[in-house]
Amino acid sequence: MPTLTVNGVTVNFPFPPYECQKVYMNKVIECLQTKENGALESPTGTGKTLCLLCATLAWREHFKDTISARKIAQKMDGEMFPNTPLASWGSAATDGDTPTYYTDVPKIIYASRTHSQLAQVMNELKNTSYRPKVCVLGSREQLCINQEVMRQESNHVKVHMCRGKVSTRSCVYYNNVDEKSTDRDLVNSILDVEDLVKFGNKQRACPNYSNRLKSFSRLIPAK
């Protein structure tokens, strides 16, 4: 997979990027490095989603690498790299001399108007070399597979019935969540809403509550 360096960050891209894609990724990384908001636009079909994903995830990996390098340099007190100043390891993950920890590595929230757009984002992510932990945020309406609950016409009644079944542990799907929460297909795979529902039906585990366990992930597409 082709790689390119953008503002000091190595980005893996599925194919040699066009010039407009390089410019787009450069602006994304520039905003992340300077901690500024960005309003970016590009014509339809220019690969905005792919550029945004690759640039952001590459920057996040660089952020973690910077923390690792600085910690090694500090621990070795310069003995391992006597001719390399600490500053050369970069400042992407630091504010001056303020220590930064792995827990400070930011989560990425990808927001969209529709679930169909989120499905497109997940498909684009599968085309990259990046494999972050991913959680797609959806409502009970999209994720519940308990037919007794879903037969209710009122969303308020659905919520009330679901919570009642959870509290009394009378939903077989909810009761299987803990057992299936470490399933490799759930933990390691990139799943959109439809994939989560298929997983829930196959494993007889509630997609809604299984998905909540993944909400501590780093990339969170949200409608």
Side-chain angles (χ1 to χ4, degrees):
M1 185 168 288
T3 62
L4 66 154
T5 301
V6 181
N7 279 2
V9 175
T10 300
V11 180
N12 295 325
F13 207 69
F15 51 84
Y18 299 112
E19 191 60 35
C20 64
Q21 292 173 328
K22 293 180 183 179
V23 172
Y24 194 94
M25 289 189 284
N26 179 76
K27 291 301 181 182
V28 171
I29 292 176
E30 181 181 326
C31 289
L32 292 168
Q33 291 175 331
T34 57
K35 301 180 181 180
E36 295 180 344
N37 295 326
L40 308 178
E41 62 180 359
S42 186
T44 301
T46 52
K48 293 186 294 293
T49 300
L50 189 60
C51 289
L52 188 56
L53 287 172
C54 289
T56 306
L57 292 169
W59 170 82
R60 186 174 176 275
E61 287 193 355
H62 183 75
F63 190 104
K64 290 192 296 183
D65 290 344
T66 298
I67 295 176
S68 300
R70 290 178 67 88
K71 285 184 179 297
I72 292 172
Q74 289 171 337
K75 187 173 183 179
M76 299 303 295
D77 196 25
E79 293 179 9
M80 179 176 279
F81 310 103
N83 298 319
T84 306
L86 185 61
S88 68
W89 292 109
S91 58
T94 60
D95 287 316
D97 295 325
T98 304
T100 308
Y101 306 96
Y102 291 113
T103 53
D104 296 324
V105 175
K107 293 181 181 180
I108 299 171
I109 300 177
Y110 196 114
S112 179
R113 289 182 300 168
T114 66
H115 283 288
S116 61
Q117 289 175 335
L118 290 185
Q120 178 189 350
V121 172
M122 302 305 281
N123 286 330
E124 291 283 19
L125 181 58
K126 293 175 184 177
N127 293 328
T128 74
S129 64
Y130 300 101
R131 290 296 178 267
K133 294 180 180 179
V134 180
C135 170
V136 178
L137 300 185
S139 67
R140 185 179 282 101
E141 185 73 26
Q142 280 83 36
L143 294 173
C144 180
I145 58 175
N146 187 308
Q147 294 305 308
E148 183 181 356
V149 173
M150 294 307 295
R151 277 197 297 267
Q152 308 305 313
E153 294 184 3
S154 167
N155 190 57
H156 177 75
V157 174
K158 290 177 183 178
V159 172
H160 181 75
M161 181 178 288
C162 174
R163 289 177 177 172
K165 287 181 174 295
V166 167
S167 63
T168 58
R169 298 195 70 85
S170 58
C171 175
V172 63
Y173 304 107
Y174 174 76
N175 294 342
N176 288 334
V177 166
D178 287 341
E179 179 184 348
K180 300 299 182 181
S181 63
T182 57
D183 188 282
R184 184 172 57 186
D185 288 340
L186 177 66
V187 176
N188 297 329
S189 300
I190 298 174
L191 305 176
D192 60 21
V193 171
E194 290 185 2
D195 294 328
L196 284 167
V197 171
K198 290 178 182 177
F199 170 85
N201 284 317
K202 178 181 177 181
Q203 300 294 340
R204 292 182 61 79
C206 176
N208 186 37
Y209 283 93
S210 296
N211 200 38
R212 291 188 183 189
L213 294 179
K214 296 186 68 178
S215 63
F216 297 100
S217 311
R218 299 306 183 197
L219 175 64
I220 309 178
K223 176 176 177 290

